Amino acid sequence: MVQPGQVRPVGFAATERTDAWWVAPLVQGLGLATLICYANWAAYQGRDYLVGNYLSPLYSPLLDIEGLPFSPAFLILLPPVLFRATCYYYRKAYYRSFFFDPPACAVSELGGKKGYRGETAFPFVLQNLHRYLFYATLLYLPFLWLDAFHATNFDGKFGIGVGTLVILANSIALTLYSFSCHSARHLVGGSLDCFSCTAANRTRHAAWKRASFLNERHMLFAWTSFLTVCGADLYVRLVARGAITDLRLL
Ligand code: FES
């Protein structure tokens, strides 16, 4: 709080906050950079993504296109990557951590407001495609659950290995991430003037409350699912390369 006679701080990162406001943007920036680097590296490899009944989620659904001059992951991942890049939570995270725009609440941004157009001008206006990318990525969920199902099939017999659990955890995390999306909440309960007027609206209200429960935890699911995607890929990759042996639990 500026006292009478004191000069209000100005310039980049100027603030009257006295807490360690920089910790959250720093930690989330480092975390995001690490996961993005890993996912790009893994997508670029184009090998070691399938071993036995385990398929890396970065390569799901499995594409077998002969003569493709680049890793199939670049085709497979385009909608999910754009979905994540336009996610409301991730926008907040990378606007703060990478663009310092602003670095935190009540902290001065980099550059100032001159010519600021927010998300109304190119390229940031494209963030509004998020709801359509939500529909596109919903199509991936059945394939991810199919992968979890295949991960229980050991030469025609039901079984469970550590890899099964890793792949299953990823399918659950990505499902929760998708259904906790703001667009999912709008889809089930948006564009209604009255929740209680008709039986159909009351049903949608009940669904909207469940979607809101998930939506309140969207940041948790955003991080968990990014970690499980990279973790599942790493696990499959290590097993495929013979660096570790998959442990059969059942
Ligand atoms: Fe994050 Fe839609 S708001 S995925």
Side-chain angles (χ1 to χ4, degrees), residues 83 86-90 130 134 177-178 180-183 218:
F83 179 55
T86 56
C87 163
Y88 289 81
Y89 166 68
Y90 282 117
H130 185 69
F134 165 71
Y177 175 61
S178 300
S180 62
C181 170
H182 294 47
S183 299
H218 190 56

Side-chain angles (χ1 to χ4, degrees), residues 168-199:
L168 177 65
N170 178 59
S171 304
I172 294 170
L174 281 174
T175 302
L176 289 172
Y177 175 61
S178 300
F179 285 111
S180 62
C181 170
H182 294 47
S183 299
R185 187 166 170 263
H186 179 76
L187 185 68
V188 295
S191 307
L192 285 181
D193 290 331
C194 173
F195 272 138
S196 57
C197 296
T198 66

Side-chain angles (χ1 to χ4, degrees), residues 23-141:
V23 172
L26 178 68
V27 170
Q28 69 196 8
L30 289 174
L32 273 182
T34 306
L35 291 170
I36 291 169
C37 284
Y38 176 82
N40 274 285
W41 173 82
Y44 180 75
Q45 298 305 303
R47 50 185 273 240
D48 300 328
Y49 52 82
L50 177 66
V51 56
N53 50 343
Y54 296 157
L55 173 65
S56 159
L58 292 178
Y59 289 80
S60 179
L62 195 56
L63 283 188
D64 191 9
I65 304 175
E66 221 162 284
L68 199 65
F70 48 83
S71 165
F74 290 122
L75 283 182
I76 296 162
L77 291 179
L78 195 60
V81 164
L82 293 175
F83 179 55
R84 249 170 222 268
T86 56
C87 163
Y88 289 81
Y89 166 68
Y90 282 117
R91 279 191 234 177
K92 182 186 91 170
Y94 65 76
Y95 285 172
R96 289 185 176 183
S97 302
F98 298 154
F99 302 162
F100 309 120
D101 193 20
C105 279
V107 178
S108 289
E109 61 203 351
L110 191 64
K113 287 283 177 205
K114 208 170 167 211
Y116 179 72
R117 304 278 302 276
E119 292 176 342
T120 62
F122 184 81
F124 293 110
V125 70
L126 296 177
Q127 302 278 29
N128 293 306
L129 293 175
H130 185 69
R131 80 189 70 165
Y132 303 107
L133 291 161
F134 165 71
Y135 303 140
T137 48
L138 277 187
L139 301 175
Y140 283 66
L141 293 180

